[in-house]
Amino acid sequence: MAEELVETWRAGLNPEQERAATHPGGPLLIVAGAGTGKTKTLACRVAHLIGTGVPAERILLLTFTRRAAAEMLKRAGQMSSSSGCAAAQVWGGTFHAVSNRLLRMHGRALGLDANFTVMDQADGADLMDLIRDEGAYAKGKKRFPKKDTLAAIYSRAVNSGEKLVDVLERNFPWCKPEVEGVREILSAYVERKRGAGVLDYDDLLLFWKALAEAPGVGELVAERFDHILVDEYQDTNHLQSDVLRAMRKTNNNITVVGDDAQAIYSFRAASIDNILSFSDHFPGAEIVKLERNYRSTAEILATSNAVMAESLLGYGKALWTERTDGRRPALIDCLDEEQQTHQVCERVLEHRERGVALKSQAVLFRAGHHSALLEIELTRRNIPFVKYGGLKFVESAHVKDVVAFLRILENPRDELGWWRVFNLLDGVGPATARALMMAIGVTSGPSDISPLVRFAEDLPSPGGAGREQVAALAATLSECGKESPALPVAAQIEVIRRFYEPIVHRRYEAPHARIRDLEQLEALASSSKSRERFVVDLTLDPPASTQDLAGPPLLDEDFLILSTVHSAKGGEWDVVHVLHAADGMIPSDMATGDADEIEEERRLFYVALTRAKSDLYVYFPLRYYHRPRGLDDAHGYAQLSRFITEDVKETFDLRPAFTGSPEDDARVDHAPIAQVTKYLSDLFSI
């Protein structure tokens, strides 16, 4: 029976996929074009390794989401009876999640406390803001970087391995005059994390690298795995590449899957050089290209291939398919953004009437604000939609507030957690929050929260509201933190929610939707075995969206997808509409500083085009208004995206959405202007 299942999955592979899946060993790079079945190929490789006797627990599968790892392992388990149970034993997860697991096992060799907590990127920015405020860096006469910029500078330096001065020179030139202040804040940030027993995302990779390179323990960690497999390799950064090389010093069995044409995350410090230099990093590597596309029609692939043919970088490949039943993509010239919006809505409804569900259609754009006018028109026409590319679930303020409670319960030295919780209380500002933290000895590691109750007696607040809230906070934390009997994680969140609900109503809009989010948080926690595990999982692999951001469309059985191109990567839809194919929008005028940035923008456009399965529409507004809500008509004319060259344009069906030219707009009557001009001329003539 097992042999029959193996033959079944082999029979479902094309020759290139089978060659990759059954690779005997050593370094392997699978260059997988869009829609060529990379997930299936990687899952088959896992099944093949297990089927040939490699112990599942000695296989490490690294992905960029936990869901991707779970999907691959599930598919691998279905491919043969022998690997069905074994696949569950594979080490699968994100770089950060695997690092967290290894550091809790071996971190003491580096001086790490096994009970460290992990904070996300937004928390790191908040801690930098706290340090920035304490040092009065923003009280000078010059502009000083804010917290998000500081966090971006820090993360780029760590993940790229570049010196701070070089990062500022290349990516943040306006911050160069403040280099000393930036250096002081980042140094203090590192010290505060260490003192509080907290790691951020970048620390997880840094310590994993240090662990893999440490004498003795490094070999022990590396030898744990016979094979390492990596998904979306084009999205890795230099630090992740260093980790992989350190993990393969004595064993070169590494398989990576990626597409250089979809490397679009340099703003997260991802480096296309990792996939382009794979053979240099891992000598003797075999390269297998997957070029047969199972998603799009031949006409859509012709356009996509033509766009990438203009690029001089990467592994040359031409996607092909047996689907020859399609229509040429449409390039639609629109007079302005308003007409673009109407054209999109009409085509969305037209396809819906033909039987294409709304959620089988997507509208893609370069930046989140590019869909603002469309969202208004969709609402007016009663077309429900869900937008991706905004906040993740745990980045929303109300969820972060509740997670802060859990973090200080898990690690009483978590300074940022205390800071966030104290600032939720009435009558408590930055100065009082600091006083509270000093009173309970946060930095020295408080053993309990009883000092809060004593401090409440002296808290200056009219009517005693502040004192009452501090006492209620102390009681809440005490109930959640009791050890006998210990409350389940979901029950702890329920206790916190009861205390927090009045705060939600006072501080935030749409409080009922936010409270539903917290109820969802309780449901997520119901299957968690420990508070520590729940907080780590939520931080390292958060849910993608929030109830309040999704809003009314969740009540509909169908809804249109709106998404930035970055968030759409990995998705596919029957019909795709790409907005704003104008230079300055695609490519963004903020990302044309050098040839590398322009090439990444080209790849971003390619990603947008290759999401379409059957129909593709690209819209080009000819005119943009400088003041869309003003009383005048100030505007400028756009140029077609530089990525739609004459060769690319030949693959499109050209469809103007208006008659005439923008210079001779038939909708405008110029006679009244001429009459007024003549009147004034006559009036003031001598």
Side-chain angles (χ1 to χ4, degrees):
M1 180 64 180
E3 292 180 359
E4 291 177 2
L5 288 170
V6 170
E7 288 304 317
T8 298
W9 68 255
R10 277 181 181 270
L13 300 178
N14 64 43
E16 291 75 24
Q17 289 174 328
E18 182 176 2
R19 178 181 161 203
T22 59
H23 177 68
L28 170 65
L29 168 61
I30 305 172
V31 182
T36 57
K38 73 172 181 65
T39 300
K40 177 180 180 180
T41 304
L42 203 55
C44 288
R45 175 128 186 88
V46 173
H48 170 75
L49 291 174
I50 296 174
T52 54
V54 179
E57 65 275 12
R58 296 187 63 80
I59 298 173
L60 172 60
L61 173 63
L62 292 167
T63 62
F64 278 82
T65 67
R66 184 171 57 181
R67 290 172 293 282
E71 171 65 18
M72 288 184 195
L73 295 179
K74 178 182 177 182
R75 293 173 72 167
Q78 293 171 343
M79 289 175 185
S80 72
S81 59
S82 62
S83 66
C85 297
Q89 304 302 314
V90 170
W91 277 56
T94 66
F95 276 88
H96 297 97
V98 170
S99 175
N100 174 73
R101 187 175 173 185
L102 288 172
L103 290 174
R104 293 193 188 278
M105 296 170 61
H106 304 286
R108 285 188 176 86
L110 304 176
L112 277 180
D113 187 335
N115 294 322
F116 65 82
T117 52
V118 180
M119 62 180 179
D120 63 22
Q121 292 164 317
D123 292 328
D126 288 342
L127 181 54
M128 290 185 192
D129 198 37
L130 182 61
I131 298 169
R132 180 181 184 271
D133 182 66
E134 291 173 351
Y137 292 96
K139 295 181 180 179
K141 296 182 179 180
K142 294 183 179 179
R143 180 173 61 145
F144 192 85
K146 289 193 172 183
K147 64 176 185 177
D148 290 332
T149 303
L150 291 168
I153 292 170
Y154 175 84
S155 186
R156 181 170 287 274
V158 172
N159 287 288
S160 67
E162 298 180 46
K163 297 287 188 181
L164 174 61
V165 291
D166 295 330
V167 170
L168 296 183
E169 176 75 34
R170 176 176 172 81
N171 303 106
F172 304 90
W174 70 270
C175 300
K176 283 173 57 181
E178 305 297 335
V179 61
E180 289 305 318
V182 171
R183 191 193 312 276
E184 290 172 4
I185 289 177
L186 300 188
S187 298
Y189 171 69
V190 172
E191 293 177 5
R192 294 280 271 270
K193 286 187 298 177
R194 299 295 173 265
V198 173
L199 302 185
D200 61 20
Y201 280 4
D202 301 322
D203 287 330
L204 290 171
L205 297 180
L206 280 171
F207 278 104
W208 186 2
K209 179 185 175 185
L211 185 67
E213 294 177 345
V217 68
E219 288 77 7
L220 178 66
V221 172
E223 289 172 0
R224 176 181 290 274
F225 306 108
D226 292 335
H227 286 265
I228 296 179
L229 298 86
V230 186
D231 189 25
E232 303 287 8
Y233 191 66
Q234 78 281 348
D235 295 335
T236 56
N237 57 45
H238 284 294
L239 185 52
Q240 289 165 326
S241 176
D242 289 344
V243 167
L244 292 172
R245 279 182 275 177
M247 292 289 290
R248 296 291 82 180
K249 285 185 297 188
T250 59
N251 176 340
N252 67 350
N253 289 331
I254 181 169
T255 297
V256 303
V257 180
D259 183 7
D260 52 291
Q262 297 187 68
I264 59 173
Y265 291 114
S266 68
F267 67 93
R268 296 180 186 169
S271 173
I272 190 175
D273 183 62
N274 288 347
I275 191 168
L276 296 181
S277 303
F278 183 78
S279 296
D280 296 329
H281 296 162
F282 299 95
E286 181 176 355
I287 300 175
V288 177
K289 295 181 184 179
L290 304 184
E291 297 176 290
R292 180 177 177 181
N293 180 282
Y294 295 92
R295 174 189 299 159
S296 306
T297 63
E299 290 77 7
I300 291 172
L301 294 183
T303 300
S304 305
N305 287 334
V307 168
M308 287 310 298
E310 307 281 344
S311 175
L312 300 177
L313 291 175
Y315 299 93
K317 57 184 176 299
L319 301 183
W320 63 277
T321 182
E322 293 183 349
R323 288 191 60 188
T324 58
D325 58 338
R327 292 172 288 275
R328 283 158 60 96
L331 177 60
I332 302 170
D333 290 341
C334 305
L335 184 65
D336 51 25
E337 187 178 1
E338 182 179 4
Q339 191 174 61
Q340 172 184 250
T341 294
H342 288 296
Q343 289 288 316
V344 171
C345 290
E346 288 173 10
R347 283 179 171 79
V348 165
L349 292 174
E350 179 183 337
H351 279 284
R352 180 176 178 272
E353 290 303 314
R354 293 181 191 170
V356 181
L358 290 177
K359 57 188 172 185
S360 295
Q361 304 184 55
V363 182
L364 308 183
F365 31 85
R366 173 63 179 84
H369 66 274
H370 287 175
S371 66
L373 192 61
L374 176 62
E375 292 173 43
I376 295 172
E377 184 64 14
L378 289 171
T379 301
R380 190 185 72 80
R381 296 192 185 213
N382 195 28
I383 302 175
F385 63 89
V386 171
K387 183 176 179 179
Y388 295 95
L391 291 176
K392 291 183 179 179
F393 182 81
V394 296
E395 291 173 347
S396 51
H398 52 294
V399 176
K400 286 182 69 66
D401 289 344
V402 171
V403 172
F405 284 84
L406 299 175
R407 283 173 43 194
I408 59 180
L409 285 165
E410 194 60 29
N411 177 12
R413 292 182 296 155
D414 192 330
E415 181 182 7
L416 189 61
W418 284 109
W419 174 262
R420 189 174 191 98
V421 168
F422 281 142
N423 276 283
L424 294 173
L425 308 181
D426 284 341
V428 175
T432 306
R434 288 194 186 91
L436 280 164
M437 291 164 66
M438 290 181 63
I440 64 173
V442 168
T443 55
S444 59
S447 58
D448 57 51
I449 44 76
S450 58
L452 274 175
V453 180
R454 294 194 297 271
F455 191 85
E457 298 174 0
D458 301 320
L459 183 68
S461 178
R467 290 191 293 273
E468 292 176 3
Q469 285 192 24
V470 171
L473 170 62
T476 298
L477 295 176
S478 179
E479 184 176 356
C480 292
K482 65 183 181 180
E483 297 181 358
S484 182
L487 288 179
V489 185
Q492 294 179 40
I493 295 175
E494 182 183 4
V495 172
I496 293 168
R497 180 169 56 81
R498 288 201 301 266
F499 168 80
Y500 179 66
E501 277 190 14
I503 297 173
V504 175
H505 284 275
R506 289 197 306 270
R507 293 175 65 96
Y508 299 121
E509 296 179 355
H512 297 292
R514 294 176 188 269
I515 290 169
R516 287 198 298 273
D517 279 348
L518 303 182
E519 292 170 350
Q520 183 180 350
L521 195 65
E522 288 179 41
L524 287 172
S526 61
S527 59
S528 189
K529 296 179 180 179
S530 70
R531 182 174 59 218
E532 178 267 330
R533 179 75 183 185
F534 178 69
V535 172
V536 168
D537 285 349
L538 197 64
T539 303
L540 297 182
D541 190 27
S545 59
T546 63
Q547 175 81 8
D548 56 307
L549 289 177
L554 292 181
L555 303 178
D556 276 271
E557 62 181 10
D558 196 13
F559 46 83
L560 181 67
I561 304 298
L562 307 186
S563 178
T564 62
V565 182
H566 283 102
S567 294
K569 184 171 172 289
E572 58 180 40
W573 295 273
D574 289 335
V575 182
V576 168
H577 307 262
V578 181
L579 304 184
H580 297 294
D583 230 61
M585 310 291 263
I586 302 176
S588 168
D589 55 6
M590 301 295 289
T592 54
D594 56 36
D596 289 341
E597 289 185 344
I598 293 172
E599 284 305 309
E600 179 159 334
E601 291 291 301
R602 185 194 309 278
R603 296 192 294 269
L604 193 64
F605 186 45
Y606 170 82
V607 167
L609 301 180
T610 53
R611 301 310 95 195
K613 296 165 69 174
S614 299
D615 288 283
L616 173 64
Y617 299 97
V618 177
Y619 300 83
F620 168 49
L622 287 168
R623 183 160 63 185
Y624 285 91
Y625 295 96
H626 303 319
R627 294 180 289 275
R629 295 177 179 82
L631 298 178
D632 58 12
D633 192 39
H635 63 271
Y637 295 117
Q639 297 291 327
L640 184 64
S641 171
R642 69 189 71 182
F643 303 138
I644 304 179
T645 62
E646 289 302 318
D647 288 342
V648 174
K649 193 183 293 186
E650 288 180 1
T651 68
F652 278 103
D653 178 11
L654 305 181
R655 301 184 193 175
F658 67 95
T659 57
S661 66
E663 291 80 6
D664 185 23
D665 186 354
R667 299 183 307 168
V668 178
D669 183 1
H670 295 280
I673 295 178
Q675 291 171 4
V676 170
T677 301
K678 184 177 185 305
Y679 171 78
L680 292 174
S681 178
D682 292 342
L683 186 65
F684 295 110
S685 63
I686 297 175

